Amino acid sequence: MASSSLGANEAEDHAMTDAPPNGVGHDDGDETDIDVDSEPPRRTDDDMALARRKSLLPTGCCYDDRMKFHANADFGPKPHHPEDPRRIEEIMKMFKKAGLVYTGTDSDLLDILRDTPTKYMWRIPARQATKQEICTVHTPGHYDWVENLSRMSTKDLRALSMTLDQGRASLYVGSMSYEAALLSAGGCIETCKNVVAGKVKNAFAVIRPPGHHAEYDSAMGFCLFNNVPIGARVCQNEYPDVCRKVLVLDWDVHHGNGVQNMFYDDPNVLYISLHVYEDGRFYPGKPDNPMIPDGDLDKVGDGPGKGKNVNIPWPSQGMGDGEYLAAFQKIVMPIAQEFNPDLVIISAGFDAAQGDELGGCFVTPPCYAHMTHMLMSLAGGKVAVCLEGGYNLEAISNSALAVARTLMGEPPPQMDMPPISKDAARVLARVQAAQAPYWECMRPGIIDIQRVGNDASRFHDVIRGYQRQVLSEKHGMIPLFIQREALFKSYENQVLVTPDIQSKQKILFFIHDPPEVLAAPDPIDNTVDPHNGHVLDGVAPYIDWAVKNNFGVVDANIPQYITHPEDLDAFIPRATERSLQQQIQELVCYIWDNYLQLYDVEELFLLGVGNAYLGVKVLLTSRDCKNRISGVVNFVTGNLRPVKSETDPDLSTWYKRNSLVFVAANHACWSDEALAKKVLKRRFGGVMKSTQTSLYQMMEAHADEVHQWIVGRLMPDRSDNTTEEEGAPDG
């Protein structure tokens, strides 16, 4: 049963130098030596066999007060360093407060051992790791550097701490750092060994200093020795028959660069890390040596270790339960199950926990419990949890408690599945694509674009070619010349116009997204039979109506991505709004400057569809054209955009009076109070709530309404030229 020496003020704790036979950190199996008045009952062989059944094995806990002796030698008026010695103490206090650790008297202890051996966590004594054990992953020179800290003067330690605290090293040292680091590494070793040997069913090592940033030849990021790789390698060496394959799951908010680099070419250690990356700006960032891999998703291992390194790099802070659970369900657990480890070690940093300001994420204790519970389904339940980071004392204690309770057999608390951010979902899709060559479970839905060949075409280019053919056959539409600095396939047929466009008195200018595509791929080989795919083109019926009613048509298709010859990624995210705006601005302004403003057109309408409706705003704000435009119709499922100009104060009022904006039924503006107020004030134009949620459905549902609105805004002599009898409500 776990106990700890937290000082004289907690002398009521039962100090156990040895653990009971089925929970000890020793190999001799001696009975616990407890001085009690009565003779303890003798346990039979049947009792021992029963106690050793896996269902009755306890959860182990490793802790030693001496690890708090690692403290910053550079004392000052400011609060202590984030890697505070109190971190492990607060966790143990929480374990005791929750009743996970025995703090009672000796007289009750034997009854507990006999009747309820899993009621409490059983103590795994920490010990100092040996140089031989540490040098299974570190160089002797690095061991000697850490050892030398114990011989340095306080003055020299302070000076060294000030130097090391700068830049990527981010480290402090003290006179007892060496001893604490040995205990931390030794505690990890003993925790892992007890789990592998079956003396406990699983275990939690409450240790510090942390380890996952330490490189094989240097200390870094609050870390001196890299505890988890040491523990993993010792277990592989000492238990080769039962501990060949090890999964290291690192949910610390920072990438475990040291763990990754130590096992980067090892086929028997699967390293999975969930961390904030921010394109390499978040600690530990990119190494000074560009040949050393960082925490990006394309770093998958090397040589025989390819595929055994899985990085899930969040694009920003702010990730929470939804993102972490989605990562576990989509990436972590499928790969881990296919790997089928003999031992699971969790590098359990709790700096992604809600309340940790350094991490800036929002993972709750119930989420940590669920992640732990999923990992317990691996390796026959042999899970060793080893503390890494986490710097908010309350958050780290509550999170560790949730993990410990789950290890001891409590079911994770019920929780709702929060939504996942779109950026995080895209990262998970890219991780899946990066790992697909190495894991069967990652291949469904992934295309190996390099095997497709150079003659393959992106589907959006094929669709636009088909649209040109159909519109040419039906209405004689032809491509409009657009001068470009560079020519790409996606620009072919991008703008189509009806014949004699320059002589038309009425023109409808469409600026739209490509058609929606729905497809049901084969679940086995990921192919899509043509009869199982559908193209939903909501714009085509509007073009038919416009031509039938004697409108000239300018049809501008705005692809979500410009296809490049060198593209090798199977999944390419949509263009960012900034790049999309740049593409649209160049296009619509070119069409206006070189065509529309030169035409003798009396009635010009703009119709924006999807993200491309940004082109309506860009044209109105970039060119003085509002007096030439009779009305604007938009269909919106994404961002709502106000139309206003610093140089034209009347533009906003004009847009409110001359626009009809259909917004999807599930848009945030209908549920967000602040957005709803702006909608009522017509900040985004004449907004109407659609009953539909997709662009195709919206355009189909509101076609008659749009036709009537456009006809109603025509001058009398123009509306007489239409061939359909439609009502004309005042716009």
Side-chain angles (χ1 to χ4, degrees):
M1 245 159 288
S3 63
S4 61
S5 52
L6 290 179
N9 59 333
E10 299 202 27
E12 72 275 13
D13 291 355
H14 175 71
M16 295 180 63
T17 55
D18 297 304
N22 60 334
V24 296
H26 303 278
D27 294 329
D28 53 14
D30 291 340
E31 292 285 331
T32 305
D33 184 13
I34 301 175
D35 186 14
V36 291
D37 295 335
S38 58
E39 183 177 348
R42 191 177 300 275
R43 304 187 72 182
T44 66
D45 292 340
D46 290 339
D47 290 336
M48 293 292 292
L50 184 66
R52 287 187 179 275
R53 284 175 48 193
K54 182 176 293 188
S55 61
L56 294 180
L57 286 176
T59 292
C61 180
C62 182
Y63 175 83
D64 195 301
D65 242 7
R66 293 173 293 173
M67 286 182 279
K68 294 194 298 180
F69 294 162
H70 169 58
N72 195 350
D74 185 29
F75 295 108
K78 295 182 180 180
H80 199 276
H81 194 280
E83 209 289 279
D84 192 321
R86 294 175 296 169
R87 296 169 58 243
I88 57 173
E89 180 180 351
E90 291 299 316
I91 291 175
M92 284 304 297
K93 284 182 177 179
M94 180 63 75
F95 286 179
K96 292 178 181 180
K97 183 178 179 180
L100 273 59
V101 172
Y102 182 70
T103 58
T105 63
D106 290 352
S107 59
D108 298 327
L109 182 58
L110 288 178
D111 290 337
I112 293 171
L113 297 179
R114 180 183 63 248
D115 300 331
T116 54
T118 62
K119 184 176 182 179
Y120 299 105
M121 302 175 82
W122 286 27
R123 177 175 178 259
I124 298 173
R127 63 166 175 83
Q128 291 188 348
T130 66
K131 182 175 182 178
Q132 181 181 2
E133 290 170 331
I134 290 173
C135 288
T136 56
V137 299
H138 287 290
T139 62
H142 175 58
Y143 177 92
D144 295 340
W145 182 88
V146 179
E147 182 183 27
N148 189 56
L149 297 175
S150 62
R151 306 187 188 98
M152 295 176 65
S153 66
T154 301
K155 178 182 178 181
D156 290 341
L157 288 168
R158 288 181 177 179
L160 182 59
S161 290
M162 292 181 66
T163 301
L164 293 173
D165 200 31
Q166 308 300 315
R168 197 165 185 256
S170 190
L171 183 72
Y172 73 79
V173 292
S175 60
M176 296 294 291
S177 295
Y178 168 65
E179 287 78 4
L182 290 179
L183 285 169
S184 186
C188 176
I189 292 170
E190 286 303 311
T191 299
C192 294
K193 287 177 64 175
N194 271 264
V195 172
V196 171
K199 296 177 179 178
V200 292
K201 62 180 178 182
N202 49 47
F204 198 133
V206 186
I207 54 177
R208 66 173 293 272
H212 73 151
H213 292 309
E215 296 283 3
Y216 75 99
D217 60 350
S218 61
M220 176 181 163
F222 310 169
C223 305
L224 296 173
F225 296 134
N226 208 325
N227 304 316
V228 167
I230 296 170
R233 195 61 87 204
V234 168
C235 286
Q236 286 179 319
N237 292 340
E238 296 190 13
Y239 301 93
D241 295 334
V242 295
C243 187
R244 184 173 63 90
K245 297 192 296 182
V246 178
L247 163 63
V248 178
L249 188 284
D250 189 341
W251 66 41
D252 190 286
V253 79
H254 303 97
H255 179 239
N257 54 286
V259 185
Q260 170 178 283
N261 295 335
M262 289 173 178
F263 296 130
Y264 204 60
D265 59 356
D266 191 329
N268 291 318
V269 178
L270 170 62
Y271 177 64
I272 305 179
S273 176
L274 302 90
H275 54 271
V276 174
Y277 182 63
E278 287 186 348
D279 198 27
R281 296 185 300 274
F282 198 79
Y283 191 86
K286 296 180 181 293
D288 296 332
N289 183 351
M291 301 301 294
I292 298 176
D294 66 355
D296 206 356
L297 58 85
D298 61 339
K299 308 306 186 294
V300 298
D302 193 23
K306 276 194 172 182
K308 301 306 190 296
N309 197 86
V310 182
N311 284 322
I312 303 175
W314 301 129
S316 64
Q317 293 175 285
M319 300 297 155
D321 293 354
E323 289 75 22
Y324 276 75
L325 290 176
F328 260 67
Q329 293 168 354
K330 295 176 182 295
I331 305 295
V332 174
M333 292 308 299
I335 290 179
Q337 287 165 343
E338 188 172 332
F339 180 66
N340 192 22
D342 302 313
L343 171 67
V344 176
I345 307 177
I346 304 177
S347 282
F350 294 109
D351 38 9
Q354 186 172 16
D356 193 297
E357 295 180 359
L358 197 62
C361 290
F362 301 97
V363 181
T364 65
C367 182
Y368 281 117
H370 278 271
M371 291 191 294
T372 304
H373 192 256
M374 284 187 267
L375 293 170
M376 289 169 62
S377 67
L378 303 168
K382 292 184 177 181
V383 177
V385 180
C386 298
L387 184 66
E388 295 285 0
Y391 309 104
N392 179 293
L393 298 181
E394 181 178 359
I396 194 175
S397 301
N398 289 328
S399 301
L401 176 63
V403 170
R405 280 177 162 162
T406 305
L407 291 174
M408 294 181 72
E410 291 188 26
Q414 184 176 358
M415 63 181 292
D416 295 328
M417 183 64 173
I420 177 175
S421 74
K422 292 181 180 179
D423 288 341
R426 293 188 184 101
V427 166
L428 295 181
R430 293 175 61 209
V431 172
Q432 181 185 354
Q435 295 295 332
Y438 315 106
W439 302 100
E440 186 69 34
C441 60
M442 293 290 102
R443 287 173 193 155
I446 298 300
I447 302 170
D448 187 352
I449 200 67
Q450 297 187 49
R451 293 187 177 182
V452 171
N454 297 327
D455 295 331
S457 299
R458 294 274 177 178
F459 198 29
H460 69 160
D461 297 328
V462 175
I463 292 174
R464 189 56 177 171
Y466 167 75
Q467 285 180 312
R468 176 194 172 176
Q469 180 180 348
V470 171
L471 293 174
S472 175
E473 292 175 355
K474 292 178 69 175
H475 308 303
M477 295 181 70
I478 58 175
L480 186 70
F481 173 75
I482 306 292
Q483 186 174 351
R484 308 275 190 185
E485 291 185 3
L487 295 177
F488 297 110
K489 189 173 181 61
S490 299
Y491 289 147
E492 296 177 6
N493 309 315
Q494 186 178 19
V495 182
L496 303 175
V497 296
T498 49
D500 302 323
I501 184 73
Q502 68 275 9
S503 63
K504 290 292 184 179
Q505 298 296 302
K506 301 181 298 182
I507 290 180
L508 200 52
F509 182 13
F510 293 89
I511 309 170
H512 63 86
D513 289 354
E516 297 177 65
V517 178
L518 299 178
D522 186 286
I524 304 300
D525 60 13
N526 201 40
T527 58
V528 177
D529 293 322
H531 64 274
N532 288 324
H534 305 270
V535 177
L536 308 180
D537 188 356
V539 175
Y542 283 73
I543 294 177
D544 295 341
W545 175 87
V547 173
K548 186 176 182 181
N549 285 276
N550 203 31
F551 281 82
V553 173
V554 178
D555 178 55
N557 177 73
I558 309 297
Q560 299 290 345
Y561 176 78
I562 303 299
T563 303
H564 295 73
E566 64 272 17
D567 288 339
L568 293 177
D569 291 337
F571 177 84
I572 300 176
R574 291 184 175 187
T576 63
E577 184 162 322
R578 176 177 295 182
S579 62
L580 187 65
Q581 178 169 334
Q582 181 180 0
Q583 177 200 157
I584 293 176
Q585 183 165 358
E586 292 177 358
L587 179 65
V588 298
C589 290
Y590 184 90
I591 293 173
W592 178 261
D593 295 341
N594 294 277
Y595 296 104
L596 293 178
Q597 76 162 345
L598 304 178
Y599 294 164
D600 187 24
V601 59
E602 296 290 340
E603 305 280 359
L604 175 61
F605 291 87
L606 307 180
L607 198 150
V609 181
N611 293 327
Y613 112 92
L614 177 62
V616 172
K617 172 184 176 179
V618 169
L619 180 59
L620 289 170
T621 56
S622 301
R623 296 294 185 267
D624 184 14
C625 60
K626 70 178 188 296
N627 294 329
R628 300 279 307 275
I629 296 173
S630 302
V632 176
V633 179
N634 292 315
F635 291 92
V636 183
T637 57
N639 292 336
L640 274 169
R641 302 177 180 90
V643 175
K644 55 186 178 180
S645 170
E646 295 180 357
T647 59
D648 184 357
D650 298 328
L651 179 59
S652 179
T653 302
W654 177 91
Y655 184 69
K656 293 175 183 178
R657 293 175 177 174
N658 294 277
S659 63
L660 180 62
V661 183
F662 291 99
V663 180
N666 60 350
H667 195 279
C669 73
W670 308 121
S671 57
D672 184 280
E673 186 176 345
L675 274 177
K677 289 180 179 179
K678 293 180 180 179
V679 169
L680 288 175
K681 293 179 180 179
R682 298 173 69 85
R683 294 277 181 85
F684 308 111
V687 172
M688 303 286 290
K689 184 176 182 179
S690 176
T691 57
Q692 306 299 320
T693 56
S694 75
L695 289 172
Y696 177 79
Q697 293 171 332
M698 291 167 63
M699 297 190 75
E700 185 179 46
H702 301 290
D704 291 342
E705 193 174 349
V706 171
H707 298 163
Q708 293 173 15
W709 188 85
I710 291 175
V711 171
R713 301 185 70 83
L714 293 173
M715 291 188 296
D717 59 331
R718 302 280 178 255
S719 61
D720 291 342
N721 291 333
T722 59
T723 59
E724 290 187 356
E725 294 183 4
E726 300 195 52
D730 186 8

